[in-house]
Amino acid sequence: MATANEGEWPQDTVRVIMHTKAGGSSDVFMRTLAESLEPLIGQSIAVVNSPGGGGASQMTRVRTAEPDGLTLGVNTLSHFTGMLTNLKGVFAIDDFSWIASAQADPNLIWTRVDSELSDLGALINEAKHRDGKVTVGGFGPQGSTQHIGLTMLEQEAGVEFEWVPFNSTPDIVAAVLGGHIDVGMSNLSGAQAYFDAGRLQGLGVHGEDRLDSLPDVATFEEQGYDVDSSWVQVRGIFGPAGIPMETQQQIADAFHEAMKAEHYQAYARSAGVTDSWMGPEEYTEFAYRISGIAQAELDKDSD
């Protein structure tokens, strides 16, 4: 068996720790990719769901793992914003190895098909009428990726919403369908089945372009709200600090090669995500850069 000290990925079961429950957008991504990754690397992949604490449960398990490449995690932008907000002083970028990016995934706002809210204009008007009492459910606490995206809309439209945090997209969907909150904010993949079943309708896409699977849902900008369309969800692979760079590169190459599989590409296009190919050095630089952008947005929101 090769060792991490030799810059090789040891041959054993690879555990990928998730920060969400099963069925969330990141969970769907990893389980789909595992189908082409397992035969490629000749190793079993165990996807382990460890939600809780806005990512704290997962990040603790990743940080304390051996730096041999056998324990990895899927991260999103919320990991970086969390280290600036609810997890500040608990975790830092240097606690981890930032190995590879995999997806860029815009958020969208959606609600039940029987809701009177049909677009962002209706949502904004309702927020003005109800004086900040319109509830929006999304992943993570205030300061999470989706929450920062919502604050961009608040600042542009001159309204306030009531943020309701959840641990997974399925939980947000259940709350919207059950009438417990007004609208949800998430990536498409975790809610795709409910759109396909005709139970959800989109109000707006926070991204540069409309989604191929929801061509009738206009972007924020198309609806007259000029927010930063580059603020999209990013999913990547990370591990504990100290994984040798040679091992990190081997892991990044394997993940990126597995992403080229036909069944993965079919899922990615259907879910409206864009492939991202950053390796260890580039992704580490990205981690610091995006943290700076997030800090600037958080400072703006607190003014």
Side-chain angles (χ1 to χ4, degrees):
M1 181 184 297
T3 66
N5 290 334
E6 294 171 337
E8 294 290 342
W9 198 353
Q11 292 295 303
D12 206 340
T13 298
V14 178
R15 295 194 317 147
V16 182
I17 313 298
M18 307 301 300
H19 59 291
T20 66
K21 295 180 179 179
S25 298
S26 294
D27 184 76
V28 172
F29 151 69
M30 189 60 236
R31 292 182 189 276
T32 304
L33 186 61
E35 294 178 31
S36 55
L37 183 59
E38 281 187 329
L40 181 68
I41 64 176
Q43 303 183 80
S44 298
I45 297 173
V47 179
V48 181
N49 295 96
S50 185
S57 175
Q58 175 222 33
M59 294 170 76
T60 297
R61 296 176 71 169
V62 172
R63 182 173 62 180
T64 57
E66 289 294 322
D68 53 11
L70 293 178
T71 300
L72 304 172
V74 172
N75 78 277
T76 66
L77 287 193
S78 290
H79 287 67
F80 303 124
T81 59
M83 287 186 281
L84 300 173
T85 53
N86 61 304
L87 301 179
K88 186 174 183 179
V90 181
F91 302 102
I93 290 178
D94 290 343
D95 290 338
F96 304 98
S97 299
W98 304 99
I99 299 171
S101 65
Q103 291 184 342
D105 192 359
N107 286 300
L108 68 154
I109 295 177
W110 40 264
T111 191
R112 304 182 306 277
V113 292
D114 60 352
S115 170
E116 295 181 357
L117 303 175
S118 57
D119 57 23
L120 286 186
L123 177 64
I124 298 302
N125 288 336
E126 186 71 8
K128 291 178 178 178
H129 177 70
R130 290 166 55 182
D131 194 23
K133 298 302 181 183
V134 171
T135 49
V136 181
F139 179 82
Q142 293 188 4
S144 68
T145 303
Q146 290 163 5
H147 179 257
I148 287 178
L150 187 68
T151 61
M152 291 179 180
L153 179 61
E154 288 177 325
Q155 292 162 7
E156 171 68 13
V159 298
E160 290 185 3
F161 296 103
E162 183 178 343
W163 179 256
V164 183
F166 290 89
N167 280 324
S168 73
T169 303
D171 289 345
I172 306 170
V173 172
V176 170
L177 293 179
H180 306 297
I181 58 175
D182 296 303
V183 300
M185 189 171 189
S186 74
N187 311 114
L188 175 60
S189 55
Q192 176 89 58
Y194 298 91
F195 278 96
D196 293 343
R199 302 184 67 186
L200 296 178
Q201 61 173 326
L203 305 185
V205 176
H206 188 179
E208 295 182 359
D209 303 301
R210 298 189 184 196
L211 302 178
D212 290 343
S213 3
L214 296 175
D216 295 332
V217 182
T219 65
F220 286 12
E221 187 174 6
E222 287 179 308
Q223 298 184 62
Y225 302 98
D226 186 17
V227 299
D228 185 353
S229 59
S230 69
W231 186 257
V232 298
Q233 183 63 281
V234 171
R235 294 190 186 90
I237 308 302
F238 75 116
I243 299 177
M245 184 56 68
E246 296 87 348
T247 306
Q248 290 189 47
Q249 189 62 58
Q250 187 178 4
I251 295 169
D253 290 345
F255 271 82
H256 288 159
E257 187 63 30
M259 286 165 53
K260 298 175 183 178
E262 185 176 346
H263 83 280
Y264 176 84
Q265 285 296 313
Y267 138 76
R269 301 296 79 79
S270 173
V273 302
T274 301
D275 299 329
S276 184
W277 307 96
M278 288 183 279
E281 292 185 5
E282 202 177 357
Y283 196 42
T284 301
E285 292 174 2
F286 170 84
Y288 284 100
R289 185 171 68 254
I290 204 67
S291 293
I293 295 173
Q295 186 64 67
E297 288 295 333
L298 290 167
D299 291 344
K300 188 188 305 181
D301 187 44
S302 63
D303 289 342

